[in-house]
Structures are given as C-alpha cells and as structure tokens.
Amino acid sequence: MAATLSRVETLTLVSLSAACVGIIANTFHGNGEPLIASIAFSGIAFAFTFSLIRWLGPVFVRAGLKGRDMCKSRKVEIPETMGALCAVVYLLTIIVFIPFPFYKDIVAATSGGGNRDVVVELEQVETGRFLHRFPHSKLASYLSAILSLQAVVLLGIGDDLFDIRWRHKFFIPAFASIPMLVVYFVDFGVTKVVVPVPFQHYLGELLDLGWLYYAYMAAIAVFCPNSINILAGINGIEVSQSLVIAFLLVLNDALYLAPDTPYPHPATDSHLFSLYLLLPFIGVSLALWWHNWFPAKVFVGDTYCYFAGMVFAVVGILGHFSKTLLLLFIPQVFNFIYSAPQLFRVVPCPRHRLPSFNARTGLLEPSVTQWQHPPSRPVAAILNLLHRSRLLQVEKNGKGEIVESTNFTVLNLWLVWFGPMREDMLAIGILVMQMSCGLLGLVVRHRLALWVFKEDNRGFGILVR
C-alpha cells in the first residue's frame, strides 16, 4: 500500500471536503438542518479516515502493529489496528457535531425565543443559567452515547495491544454501556413490553420486566460487539457486515421519516438520533472498507469490531428499537449459537478458526480442529448428527472414532455447503446472506408482526384491522 495519496485521490478528497464544509456553513442560514450537516460531516470523516490510513499505515508497521494475511500464498506483513483510526475520527466527528442538533434551541436561548433563564440575576451568579425549554434529556442521551463508545474503543485498543483473553474481555462492553443505561433510566425508564395478542388474555397488553429489561439491554451491549468480532477472519468481512447492518438501520430510520408517516411521530427524534450516529459511522467505515476489501492492504483489528458493535447497540437502545436491531443481526445470532460448542469448550477450540488456505488451488477450505482424545459418546452422537445434516464435516479413524471436525463458524459452514472458493467470493456470499436476512427482518418487523400485534408503531394510533 502506498504511504501517500495519488494526485487523483488528493483532488477528490480535497474537493469532497471543501463541498462538505460549504454545505455545513450553509446550514447556519436556516434552522441548522442537522441531518444535512450530519451527511456533510460524514463526507469529511470519510476523507480524513482515508487519508490517515494511507499516511499512518507505515507508522503502525514500524510500531509493531502489523500482521500477516494467512489466506494468501504470499504472507506479506500489512498494518493492523486500522479500526482505531476510524474510531478516533468518528468520535471527533460526533463531538464536533454536538451543536448542530440543538442549533434551534441554542438560538432560542440567546435571542429571546422563550428559552430565557427563569431566575433572577443574583441567583444566576450563584447557580448559573437554567434554560427551561432546552432539551437537556436529548443532550444527555447524546453525551452518554459518546461516553459508552469511548469506553469500548479503549477496550478494543487494549485488546489489540495486549491480546486480552476472550473470557476476560467478553463482559467488558456491559460496563461500557453503564452511561447510556443510566441515561435511559433517568430520561425514558420504560421497562414494559407489548405482549402478543394471543397471550394478552393471560399477561395483559403490557408486561413490566423491571430490572430484567436493563439486563436485556446490557446483554445487547455485550452481544453486538462480540458477535461482529466472532464473525471475522477473511478480508473485508468485518467492515462489510457492519456497513450492511448500518445501511439497513438507515433504511429503518428512513421509514419513520418518510412523507407517508404520520407527523409528528413520537419516534421521529429517536430515529434522527440514530441517523446522527450512523451516518458518520458509514463515512469512516467506507474509507476503511476501501483498504480492507480483498486483497486487503490493512487489517481492521479488534478495535473496529467492538466499536462497530457498540454503535449499533447505542442506537438500538437509546433509539428505542433494540428488538428491530436483533432482527438485523440474524446471521450473527446464528453464528454465535453455532459457535457456542467451541466458545464454551465443549469442542476443542483453536486460537484461530478462520478458513484454511490451499496454496495449490488458491481457494479457501473449511478449517478443522483436531481431537487429541475421542469425544464422549453424547458429544460424538451430536457431531455425527450434525455431519449427517450437513452442518459439519467430521473425519474418523479406522475404529470409527472422530479424529477431526470442521470449526464451528458460519464461514466454515458456508464452505461445507458450497465447497472451496476464493476469499472474495466467500465474503460476497456471506454479505448477500446478511442483506437478505436483514431485509427479511424489516419485513417481519413492519409487516408480519401485525399477525401477532395490533399495530405497527410506525403508524401509531392507526389500528390494523
């Protein structure tokens, strides 16, 4: 990878940045237009991330942050932990963006718009201003999101630098989620869920989960970062799956902002909040994807996986659509369940479970784990059942004992189903599945869910007959 930008790349990125700066400056002539400003900031974030990856790649290599691509015949060392650059640019972008969603409120606070201090001057000296119409709760949600994202980025960088053991780092995102869970408790505090119509006779229309709902949200914060980190190992797969999920979330947000949606919709602000966090994420991720797609010139590192997953957890929890979020994580949910036997050491788990590269054919094949001792009879029965169901491949010795089995990941399962293939074709196949499952999830959420619920909250107040 070249350490400098080409002339065409430089002109393109400078032009993009200049156009975005002009758009941002123009928003001040109206009401701030935060959504347009967010799109412009995303363009600037893309340009900065693209440039920094090029400029700092050799610096990372000299600092020892490098790795070899195990799925290539020539295992050249390339920069690693580039996801840290994306995360830093992203955090700086959403911090600089803070005034824009509150531009109208700030103007009202300083121009006699009804948001003046409701205190006398002497009290102002002692306690400061109190802007009684300023949306403090929205600002608190935004700031708590930044705190949670900063915490999980520190986790990712620590993992990349010190290679933290899986069992030690698995629950750390739950601690990173504390700021947003506290704000959720103070600002929103809803712990009731709508009961499907067939069960309302027994449980009522709403079921209060109490503290279990907070445990559920903490579990979301744990699952999302780790699930992306587990579904990894080939060029471009981490960034690409994150981009697919991000675009599907943007589509879901757009459904609530569409002209045919009843206005004012109570979920409008929540989905605008989601877009403010997702658009810059797409910007930095596209810059990283450009360099990480096959053949990869950089590696993303664990930092990006944790950072991307926490972005989704934050928008799902603070945007109040965590159940919709899970519908977009169907492949990740399946991969986690499928990987559980190895993750919990029921089946031997090697350090790396990525597909193996066949240097003779240039194709990827399912990687295997060796059984030093034959599995117990119940485990062997389950493995044989999975083998007959084409959910696994096993090899046996002359005694009929299992001596090796393919690793439990979706990437290896895909190769079991469709045979050896090139690395980029494997990534494309997984992404097509991710997109298909995501679109199906949105259809289930907004159409098929009407079979068991009275209405879709996108058309609040309109009962479905």
Side-chain angles (χ1 to χ4, degrees):
M1 180 182 68
T4 58
L5 298 171
S6 68
R7 184 175 181 180
V8 173
E9 290 171 337
T10 301
L11 290 175
T12 302
L13 295 176
V14 169
S15 301
L16 174 63
S17 300
C20 291
V21 169
I23 292 172
I24 293 171
N26 190 57
T27 61
F28 289 106
H29 296 298
N31 293 324
E33 302 297 343
L35 188 56
I36 295 176
S38 181
I39 296 174
F41 272 110
S42 303
I44 295 175
F46 170 85
F48 268 81
T49 305
F50 193 100
S51 302
L52 287 174
I53 290 174
R54 286 291 183 84
W55 295 335
L56 297 181
V59 177
F60 276 54
V61 171
R62 289 196 295 271
L65 298 174
K66 57 188 177 181
R68 296 182 182 274
D69 195 336
M70 304 304 293
C71 295
K72 301 290 186 301
S73 55
R74 294 181 64 252
K75 295 175 173 52
V76 181
E77 290 184 337
I78 59 177
E80 202 168 12
T81 321
M82 287 292 111
L85 293 178
C86 293
V88 170
V89 173
Y90 174 84
L91 288 171
L92 292 175
T93 301
I94 61 176
I95 289 173
V96 174
F97 178 70
I98 289 175
F100 288 84
F102 307 101
Y103 179 75
K104 290 190 292 185
D105 302 291
I106 294 173
V107 170
T110 56
S111 61
N115 199 17
R116 290 290 188 178
D117 306 307
V118 191
V119 290
V120 297
E121 292 187 4
L122 181 60
E123 292 176 345
Q124 288 182 15
V125 174
E126 296 178 353
T127 63
R129 298 197 301 174
F130 176 68
L131 304 179
H132 67 290
R133 292 179 58 190
F134 187 86
H136 295 89
S137 60
K138 295 180 184 178
L139 179 60
S141 296
Y142 195 91
L143 295 178
S144 70
I146 294 176
L147 283 175
S148 293
L149 290 168
Q150 286 176 333
V152 84
V153 168
L154 290 176
L155 161 67
I157 293 175
D159 189 18
D160 282 328
L161 292 178
F162 305 113
D163 196 16
I164 304 173
R165 299 293 295 271
W166 178 80
R167 62 176 177 269
H168 297 148
K169 66 187 178 183
F170 184 80
F171 293 101
I172 294 181
F175 295 99
S177 68
I178 289 176
M180 65 175 172
L181 293 182
V182 170
V183 169
Y184 184 93
F185 173 79
V186 174
D187 175 37
F188 198 63
V190 174
T191 57
K192 297 180 180 179
V193 295
V194 179
V195 177
V197 173
F199 302 103
Q200 289 184 0
H201 178 73
Y202 308 99
L203 301 174
E205 292 189 7
L206 297 175
L207 177 64
D208 190 357
L209 298 179
W211 66 269
L212 288 175
Y213 195 82
Y214 291 94
Y216 156 73
M217 290 189 290
I220 293 287
V222 171
F223 172 75
C224 290
N226 283 290
S227 66
I228 292 178
N229 195 28
I230 293 172
L231 183 50
I234 61 174
N235 290 174
I237 194 64
E238 300 96 331
V239 186
S240 298
Q241 65 177 302
S242 300
L243 281 170
V244 170
I245 295 171
F247 280 119
L248 289 169
L249 286 172
V250 168
L251 174 60
N252 182 65
D253 293 331
L255 293 176
Y256 288 85
L257 304 176
D260 63 330
T261 302
Y263 185 84
H265 195 287
T268 296
D269 288 339
S270 296
H271 288 279
L272 282 173
F273 171 86
S274 171
L275 287 174
Y276 298 155
L277 295 181
L278 287 173
L279 293 175
F281 173 78
I282 291 174
V284 299
S285 296
L286 284 173
L288 182 59
W289 177 88
W290 186 277
H291 296 89
N292 183 241
W293 184 252
F294 178 88
K297 304 173 185 66
V298 300
F299 290 138
V300 300
D302 290 337
T303 303
Y304 180 83
C305 300
Y306 291 117
F307 153 64
M310 186 56 78
V311 169
F312 300 141
V314 165
V315 299
I317 292 172
L318 295 181
H320 312 305
F321 53 86
S322 58
K323 294 179 288 295
T324 303
L325 175 67
L326 286 179
L327 290 174
L328 305 184
F329 269 77
I330 292 174
Q332 285 73 22
V333 171
F334 175 80
N335 186 55
F336 177 78
I337 296 172
Y338 183 65
S339 299
Q342 286 190 307
L343 296 179
F344 296 103
R345 305 296 177 176
V346 177
V347 174
C349 183
R351 178 164 180 75
H352 296 292
R353 301 184 297 159
L354 68 159
S356 60
F357 176 71
N358 188 324
R360 184 176 59 84
T361 62
L363 303 178
L364 296 185
E365 300 174 349
S367 61
V368 299
T369 183
Q370 303 292 331
W371 288 83
Q372 301 299 328
H373 304 284
S376 62
R377 186 170 298 178
V379 173
I382 294 174
L383 294 178
N384 285 319
L385 177 62
L386 293 174
H387 176 72
R388 289 193 295 270
S389 304
R390 298 198 71 242
L391 294 174
L392 195 70
Q393 282 182 352
V394 300
E395 292 291 336
K396 299 180 180 180
N397 59 18
K399 300 178 181 179
E401 298 171 335
I402 295 177
V403 293
E404 69 177 28
S405 58
T406 53
N407 284 307
F408 289 71
T409 69
V410 165
L411 297 178
N412 287 303
L413 180 59
W414 197 268
L415 294 172
V416 169
W417 285 346
F418 300 105
M421 63 181 67
R422 275 184 15 180
E423 186 174 1
D424 55 338
M425 299 307 298
L426 173 59
I428 290 172
I430 296 296
L431 295 177
V432 169
M433 177 186 66
Q434 180 83 56
M435 178 65 75
S436 302
C437 291
L439 292 174
L440 176 62
L442 290 180
V443 172
V444 169
R445 172 64 184 85
H446 296 290
R447 286 289 179 257
L448 300 185
L450 298 176
W451 293 355
V452 292
F453 294 102
K454 292 182 179 179
E455 60 186 38
D456 177 9
N457 67 351
R458 179 173 170 264
F460 76 106
I462 303 176
L463 293 179
V464 179
R465 300 182 183 277

